Amino acid sequence: MKFGKEFAAQMVQEWQEAYMDYSKLKSILKDILRFKQQNKEPLTMATTTTTTTKGALNRRASLYRAFSGLTNRYKPVSAMKNNEDEVILVSAVQGGGVEGDYQTMFLMSGEEGGEFELLFFRRLDDEFNKVLRFYKKKVEEVILEADELSKQMNALIALRIKVDNPVVKGTDMVNLADKGFSSNSSSLSHSHPINGGKQGRTHMDVIQETEMSNEEEMKEIDNRHFRPAPLDVLNHVKINVELETPIATLRSVIKSSKSDLSFSKQELRTAEEKITQAFVEFYRKLRLLKSYCFLNQLAFSKIMKKYDKITLRNASKAYLQMVDKSYLGSSDEVTKLMGRVEDTYVKHFANGNRRKGLKTLRPQAKKERHRITFLYGFFSGCSIALIVAIIVSIHARNLLKSQGRDQYMVNIFPLYSLFGYIVLHMLMYAGNVFFWKRYRVNFSFIFGFKQGTELGYREVLLLSSGLSLLALAGVISHLDMEMDPRTKSFRTLTELIPLFLLIVVLSVTFCPFNIIYRSSRFFLIRCVFHCVCAPLYKVTLPDFFLADQLTSQVQAFRSLEFYICYYGWGNFEERSNTCEESEVYKVLYIVVAIIPYWFRFVQCLRRLVEEKDTAHGLNGLKYFSTITAVAIRTIYSHQKQKTKTWLVLAAATSGIATMASTYWDIVIDWGLLNRNSTNPWLRDKLVVPHKGVYYAAMVLNCVLRLAWMQQVLGIQTVPFLHKTALVAVVASLEIIRRGIWNFFRLENEHLNNVGKYRAFKSVPLPFYYEYNADKSI
């Protein structure tokens, strides 16, 4: 792989604009090479003459230089070269910061083609200064964050002493700490674990990882006059109560979320969990910052060596010496901080087990397994074979003209269509993941997946193909259209196959054992629960993204309602039901369709209250209009004698909801239709290089949005297509539209993160210092 591609692949995608623009510098070098190739012959003759003359002058001059000795170890050979060999001079220009920008003076600008090389060094300086300023800014941020974590650790250790009340060699640590022998816990020079490594000093500058027996620990304490962290810090600290449960949300309405410490074990455990998360995220930030530094240094080295190769000069050495001496090459704050964070985490959160601690701080990337590819290929092949078998069976037995066709489509088809909706949605998501990875959209960070637990497109295809295989196997075994003439009923076991499949899917979803991607299943369950309790939970992107997916699965919710009615109150042995005649069923048919939109509506209200952004209020009105349209359109479709008044209401509300949703999809969610964009009617930054993809997606979104208008337009039947099959087709088109929407929605979110250099999630810290009331420390 060429370095340019490897460089782009290893970038922190949210920081990509802060990296050295390798491709731009490489294009300038190509211009230099093209110029030299066009002027190759005269340049070669002139170079030969100049080299010969210059070599002779150098040889004559060298006869008169002072002899430096045979064993001179103080000056390198390169330092003895004549100034005539110098190509560039690099100097620091004093700027507004601690260290100024760097400027390169090209000494050969008078030569033919020198303007190209002069342009190269100007652009090279711009790129280096950009990288240097960004790196310095980020290092300053992590140093401040390290100080904040140190203060959090001071409070945590004091809370540990207060809660655990440890006794060391007959001495009560609480009483000893209250006497105030140490004014500041960070002034101690060593760290000593108490109670299995749970207690001790936390100052990151001097953490030393030691594993001692109890006797050695006592001796060490006696020898160094150990004093615990003072408890007076707890007098200035309150604990942050995050709105993570419905009860906590209701309590926060009555009183502040920052409460006094109660010194309970639950409070200590919560504080430890939050600080642990903060350390893991902080260490990840340090690793990415170190990678940023290394990759840019490597890129400058590569581009300068390429310059030397093209121009036959020796400028790389001087420039790379400057890079090494600059803050980018000489700073070691990040490396030191990484070591201190490792030592602190191992001692205080891993009980001195370094392997365990580093395993948490450095999660391993997920390995691709060939068996997953084999299995989803095998399941997919079997599913295709079953589809062919079903088609052949239908034609061979002429089931489309069978007397039991309508009975089957009304009673059995809705049961299996539920699995079809789920499989189709999973296939669209697998496609989303594939293209997100291809175009380097950091979807795992956006969704907040824990590193190494996110599902790739292969895993999603495995699950979807496995589910389709089970569903299709049930369908082909359930194609019996004739009753038993003796019992006047169908076989009970056959009729229960859809119910068994549903039970299997739900059992796997809620299975507590660590099988079949448990972390991803629990993440999905947690997000669904947040959607159900939407106004009582802080709304995050995974929550409202999932709620948007549910709005495209309205027909799947109605299928679940039909399951309950068919197997609960219907006569499934004779394939008959009276669901459509029940008024309760009709009301629930409307309620079930409204529920997903209601989730999004209350989420918008919650965000409006918290963020005070009117855009969330407008988004809530959009979902409210959709709720109204769905309710009126469903009432109209259930009318036996359709009235003109309900038709007008259904058409008006559906039209308003469709236009509002389409506009919001394209302009707000996708960020397109920008008249002043460098890409006409799109946006300035695009992930997909082909602009036609965006225009096609906008048109397709508008067309598929109109699909749900088929009820209002009176399109209830299509030749050779049953009414329930038409409903399934329309529902599938909406799922396809949602899959397209997913890609561009996350692309826009990713570009917003890139524009703000937002590569890390904010982790709430547990302790709040009263003397710094403007922020949580």
Side-chain angles (χ1 to χ4, degrees), residues 487-653:
T487 61
K488 299 297 182 181
S489 64
F490 295 91
R491 286 185 297 178
T492 303
L493 183 62
T494 304
E495 299 304 308
L496 289 175
I497 289 177
L499 183 61
F500 290 152
L501 284 176
L502 181 61
I503 293 173
V504 168
V505 171
L506 293 177
S507 300
V508 171
T509 303
F510 292 95
C511 178
F513 303 110
N514 192 14
I515 57 173
I516 313 180
Y517 310 114
R518 182 179 65 175
S519 60
S520 298
R521 289 189 286 108
F522 283 13
F523 182 86
L524 176 64
I525 294 171
R526 184 168 62 252
C527 290
V528 170
F529 184 73
H530 288 179
C531 291
V532 174
C533 304
L536 301 179
Y537 276 96
K538 183 178 179 64
V539 182
T540 59
L541 188 142
D543 297 337
F544 69 74
F545 189 86
L546 177 62
D548 280 323
Q549 308 307 304
L550 297 180
T551 59
S552 296
Q553 287 286 2
V554 168
Q555 204 58 41
F557 284 101
R558 285 174 169 172
S559 296
L560 285 174
E561 180 193 5
F562 183 75
Y563 262 93
I564 298 173
C565 178
Y566 182 71
Y567 285 105
W569 289 274
N571 189 355
F572 63 88
E573 292 182 351
E574 298 181 2
R575 289 186 186 173
S576 63
N577 70 88
T578 56
C579 298
E580 295 289 342
E581 300 174 3
S582 172
E583 292 298 327
V584 176
Y585 180 84
K586 291 180 180 179
V587 172
L588 291 177
Y589 196 78
I590 300 174
V591 173
V592 164
I594 288 175
I595 287 176
Y597 299 102
W598 175 259
F599 291 160
R600 286 296 287 124
F601 175 67
V602 293
Q603 284 177 344
C604 291
L605 293 183
R606 171 67 185 260
R607 297 186 70 183
L608 175 64
V609 172
E610 284 187 341
E611 303 175 20
K612 312 298 182 184
D613 189 351
T614 55
H616 298 309
L618 295 175
N619 198 18
L621 288 176
K622 180 197 74 174
Y623 284 107
F624 185 78
S625 68
T626 306
I627 290 173
T628 305
V630 170
I632 294 178
R633 190 170 64 247
T634 306
I635 293 173
Y636 172 74
S637 64
H638 281 169
Q639 285 182 337
K640 294 181 179 179
Q641 296 181 351
K642 303 185 185 303
T643 60
K644 191 173 182 179
T645 303
W646 281 101
L647 174 62
V648 172
L649 286 175
T653 54

Side-chain angles (χ1 to χ4, degrees), residues 232-245:
D232 60 347
V233 67
L234 298 178
N235 298 329
H236 308 285
V237 167
K238 289 187 176 182
I239 192 166
N240 285 333
V241 180
E242 289 297 318
L243 309 181
E244 295 179 348
T245 62

Side-chain angles (χ1 to χ4, degrees), residues 390-494:
I390 290 171
I391 295 174
V392 171
S393 178
I394 290 174
H395 282 279
R397 297 164 60 184
N398 199 19
L399 296 180
L400 293 178
K401 296 181 180 180
S402 172
Q403 294 181 353
R405 172 178 176 265
D406 290 338
Q407 190 179 21
Y408 184 92
M409 294 299 295
V410 171
N411 295 280
I412 304 302
F413 184 83
L415 302 177
Y416 285 107
S417 63
L418 170 65
F419 304 105
Y421 301 142
I422 298 174
V423 170
L424 179 59
H425 212 136
M426 293 174 72
L427 291 176
M428 295 302 298
Y429 180 72
N432 291 148
V433 172
F434 175 80
F435 286 106
W436 285 333
K437 285 190 174 182
R438 179 176 178 179
Y439 294 108
R440 298 189 179 94
V441 175
N442 195 357
F443 71 96
S444 58
F445 167 71
I446 295 173
F447 286 138
F449 294 141
K450 187 177 179 181
Q451 186 175 354
T453 63
E454 70 276 8
L455 296 183
Y457 73 93
R458 290 182 178 87
E459 289 82 359
V460 180
L461 285 176
L462 173 64
L463 294 174
S464 60
S465 60
L467 179 58
S468 67
L469 179 60
L470 292 175
L472 290 171
V475 170
I476 200 171
S477 63
H478 207 163
L479 284 178
D480 188 10
M481 298 289 183
E482 303 294 337
M483 287 187 181
D484 186 341
R486 184 173 56 85
T487 61
K488 299 297 182 181
S489 64
F490 295 91
R491 286 185 297 178
T492 303
L493 183 62
T494 304

Side-chain angles (χ1 to χ4, degrees), residues 38 41 78 116 123 155 219 340-341 372 390 404 411 469 499-500 516 542 572 628 632 696 764 767:
Q38 293 173 354
E41 293 183 0
S78 60
F116 291 102
R123 187 58 187 261
K219 293 179 181 179
R340 295 166 191 163
V341 170
I372 293 177
I390 290 171
N411 295 280
L469 179 60
L499 183 61
F500 290 152
I516 313 180
F572 63 88
T628 305
I632 294 178
F767 299 108

Side-chain angles (χ1 to χ4, degrees), residues 222-236:
D222 291 338
N223 294 338
R224 300 184 182 181
H225 306 288
F226 172 77
R227 293 292 183 270
L231 298 184
D232 60 347
V233 67
L234 298 178
N235 298 329
H236 308 285

Side-chain angles (χ1 to χ4, degrees), residues 178 203 280 295 331 411 474 495 533 574:
D178 285 336
H203 191 49
V280 172
L295 280 178
S331 172
N411 295 280
E495 299 304 308
C533 304
E574 298 181 2

